[in-house]
């Protein structure tokens, strides 16, 4: 995925593909024609379909208190962090056998969410999730953060996170 993704970035004159900037026609996407926008998104989605065997995002907004989305749109980072922790826990449960190996989650280095992500991870690691009491992240060693401009897989995950957030927000209306 890395080589063709980076080639597509160069072709479209981008340093990275950020779905929120694309959707809001700002940043590097400012002033693009509809034809260029459609071509660009199609190119990246096609790369994802071709090079990523499986990717998923899910969250059941009904498990949250009814007023959680009252004043603001839910942020995609929170849902993807939740989903990453649940997926890691499921993977460990399904494939884990006692070894010295552990899982390290790599998350986008969004500074506005860093502190929350670390606190949430530690809380889940220590106590489990109230809404998912069986989740304890056994075998998940920790989380680390990387710049999405350097890690194309995080850019692909950003597209999934953005679209997941859009679907959840539609359900919450």
């Amino acid at each position: 995925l890395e080589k063709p993704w980076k080639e597509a970035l160069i072709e479209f004159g981008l340093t990275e593909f950020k779905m929120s900037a694309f959707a809001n026609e700002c940043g590097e996407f400012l002033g693009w024609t509809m034809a260029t926008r459609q071509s660009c998104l199609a190119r990246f989605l096609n790369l994802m379909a071709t090079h990523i065997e499986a990717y998923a995002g899910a969250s059941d907004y009904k498990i949250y208190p009814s007023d959680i989305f009252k004043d603001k749109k839910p942020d995609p980072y929170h849902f993807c962090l939740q989903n990453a922790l649940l997926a890691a826990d499921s993977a460990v449960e399904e494939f884990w056998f006692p070894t010295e190996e552990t899982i390290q989650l790599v998350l986008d280095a969004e500074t506005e969410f860093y502190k929350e992500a670390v606190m949430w991870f530690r809380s889940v690691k220590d106590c489990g999730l109230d809404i998912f009491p069986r989740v304890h992240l056994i075998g998940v060693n920790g989380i680390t953060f990387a710049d999405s401009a350097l890690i194309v897989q995080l850019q692909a995950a950003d597209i999934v996170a953005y679209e997941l957030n859009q679907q959840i927000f539609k359900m919450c209306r």
Side-chain angles (χ1 to χ4, degrees):
L1 177 64
E2 250 180 277
K3 186 175 186 237
W5 192 279
K6 288 180 179 179
E7 288 169 354
L9 290 173
I10 291 167
E11 177 185 334
F12 288 99
L14 300 170
T15 56
E16 75 176 300
F17 189 93
K18 274 285 201 201
M19 190 62 189
S20 60
F22 176 84
N24 292 298
E25 301 181 44
C26 62
E28 295 181 292
F29 304 99
L30 186 63
W32 282 25
T33 66
M34 182 57 74
T36 302
R37 290 173 50 73
Q38 289 173 339
S39 175
C40 178
L41 184 59
R43 176 77 180 273
F44 286 106
L45 292 176
N46 187 34
L47 288 172
M48 290 169 67
T50 304
H51 295 280
I52 300 173
E53 189 173 318
Y55 53 95
S59 184
D60 185 355
Y61 72 95
K62 294 175 190 165
I63 63 176
Y64 295 97
S66 59
D67 63 344
I68 196 166
F69 301 128
K70 186 172 76 174
D71 297 324
K72 67 176 189 163
K73 194 175 184 178
D75 66 79
Y77 194 91
H78 172 267
F79 284 110
C80 287
L81 176 58
Q82 168 194 311
N83 199 44
L85 294 175
L86 294 173
D89 189 68
S90 294
V92 167
E93 185 177 298
E94 185 173 340
F95 302 110
W96 187 256
F97 50 93
T99 69
E100 298 294 319
E101 296 182 35
T102 58
I103 293 173
Q104 182 82 13
L105 299 176
V106 179
L107 307 173
D108 191 2
E110 295 278 351
T111 45
E112 65 183 294
F113 298 109
Y114 174 84
K115 186 185 278 187
E116 178 185 348
V118 171
M119 288 186 337
W120 207 61
F121 175 79
R122 286 183 183 152
S123 173
V124 172
K125 186 78 173 143
D126 294 342
C127 308
L129 282 166
D130 291 340
I131 54 178
F132 301 103
R134 64 162 201 74
V135 175
H136 287 286
L137 302 175
I138 296 167
V140 179
N141 187 42
I143 57 176
T144 191
F145 298 85
D147 183 352
S148 62
L150 304 175
I151 310 293
V152 301
Q153 292 83 351
L154 288 173
Q155 294 174 42
D158 180 65
I159 295 171
V160 175
Y162 184 88
E163 291 303 322
L164 172 63
N165 184 57
Q166 294 303 306
Q167 293 303 313
I168 291 169
F169 185 62
K170 285 177 189 173
M171 290 186 280
C172 293
R173 287 188 193 163

